[in-house]
Amino acid sequence: MKGLAQGLAQGARQAREEDARNLVANNVPVEVIAKSLNMTVEEINQLIAK
């Protein structure tokens, strides 16, 4: 069960990251993305830098 929970959490994180990238591509302000996806501005900026 622990592996399943970790896999689900990782999948949710990946989905949030994909959503953030799509929003950045559509010129949504980083602050709005961070607040909407419950992420930090720093996390969004790290995704952009990748």
Side-chain angles (χ1 to χ4, degrees):
M1 290 302 255
K2 185 177 180 182
L4 176 62
Q6 287 176 338
L8 291 173
Q10 182 177 4
R13 182 182 50 79
Q14 288 173 342
R16 270 194 354 232
E17 290 177 358
E18 183 177 343
D19 290 342
R21 285 189 193 95
N22 289 335
L23 291 166
V24 167
N26 285 294
N27 300 314
V28 176
V30 173
E31 294 80 9
V32 173
I33 297 169
K35 187 176 278 190
S36 298
L37 297 177
N38 197 29
M39 298 174 77
T40 65
V41 171
E42 196 172 278
E43 288 173 318
I44 304 299
N45 287 330
Q46 288 175 353
L47 288 174
I48 294 169
K50 286 185 181 179

